[in-house]
Amino acid sequence: MAIEVNLEKYGHKKKGFLGFSWTAFFFNFLVPIFRADFKWFLVFIFPFIFVSLGTSLDLDFDNNFIAFIFIFPVFVSKFVFPFIYNKFYTKGLIKEGYLPPKDDDYSNAILKGTGYLEYTDEDLLDKEKMERYKVIIEEYENERKKDMHTIIIVLVLIGVLIAFFYFMTSYS
C-alpha cells in the first residue's frame, strides 16, 4: 500500500502518496482521472492509444519487431508507471504549493525524511521532534521493505501465469 501524507494549500486539503501505486497497477489510467491529474492521465493513456493506432492500421503483428514496438509502451504503462506515479504526483502537489500541516508530524517526517522537503532550522534544533521523526521514518522504511517483497511476489506470480498460458497455447 502507498503511504498517505496530508497536504494543504490555503485550507484546501489533498492527499499525497509515496511508494508503489497498487491502484495504478490495477486501474492504470483511471487513477490520474480520479485525482484530477490530467497531465499523467495523458502519459498513462498514450500507450493504449498507440496500440489502438497500430491495430487500426492493420499492421503485421506476426512480425515480432512490430509487435514489440507496439506492446512495449503498454508494458511500461502497466509495470513501470505504478512504481513512479505516486512520487511524481506528490512532488507535483508540493511544487504547486501544497505542504503538510505544521502540526502533522507524520506527514512532515515522511516528506522530510525521504527528501521531498527540506528540514528547517527549527526542526533540526528540536531534539524531541527529530527523535519522533526518526521513529516515523524507520516505520516507513520497514513498511517499504514489506511492500517490496509483496511486489516481487506478485510480479513473479504474473510471470509464472504468463509462462503457463504461453506454454499451454504453444502445445495445443
Side-chain angles (χ1 to χ4, degrees), residues 17-32:
F17 302 92
L18 300 167
F20 185 80
S21 176
W22 285 104
T23 52
F25 181 74
F26 289 110
F27 301 111
N28 206 277
F29 60 83
L30 295 176
V31 177

Side-chain angles (χ1 to χ4, degrees), residues 25-150:
F25 181 74
F26 289 110
F27 301 111
N28 206 277
F29 60 83
L30 295 176
V31 177
I33 289 175
F34 292 130
R35 294 184 186 173
D37 188 6
F38 298 109
K39 175 182 78 171
W40 273 94
F41 166 72
L42 294 174
V43 171
F44 267 83
I45 202 163
F46 173 76
F48 295 97
I49 293 171
F50 187 66
V51 168
S52 297
L53 176 68
T55 56
S56 69
L57 293 175
D58 199 28
L59 295 174
D60 178 22
F61 279 98
D62 291 334
N63 179 332
N64 288 339
F65 180 72
I66 291 175
F68 175 79
I69 293 296
F70 279 89
I71 299 303
F72 183 72
V74 172
F75 174 81
V76 169
S77 178
K78 200 70 180 137
F79 295 106
V80 174
F81 288 169
F83 284 96
I84 63 172
Y85 176 60
N86 281 338
K87 178 179 184 176
F88 284 107
Y89 174 72
T90 302
K91 282 189 173 190
L93 288 177
I94 291 170
K95 190 183 258 187
E96 289 175 20
Y98 285 89
L99 296 171
K102 294 233 184 266
D103 62 343
D104 186 353
D105 278 350
Y106 181 79
S107 296
N108 277 294
I110 298 295
L111 291 171
K112 291 176 181 178
T114 54
Y116 286 72
L117 295 174
E118 297 290 323
Y119 286 103
T120 63
D121 291 336
E122 179 185 321
D123 292 332
L124 296 172
L125 293 174
D126 188 345
K127 299 292 183 199
E128 259 184 50
K129 182 185 277 189
M130 290 306 291
E131 198 58 40
R132 285 193 311 269
Y133 281 13
K134 183 180 176 184
V135 170
I136 292 170
I137 293 167
E138 286 173 359
E139 289 174 10
Y140 168 78
E141 289 171 352
N142 289 335
E143 190 67 30
R144 295 295 97 219
K145 287 177 187 173
K146 283 190 235 172
D147 278 356
M148 191 51 68
H149 293 132
T150 304

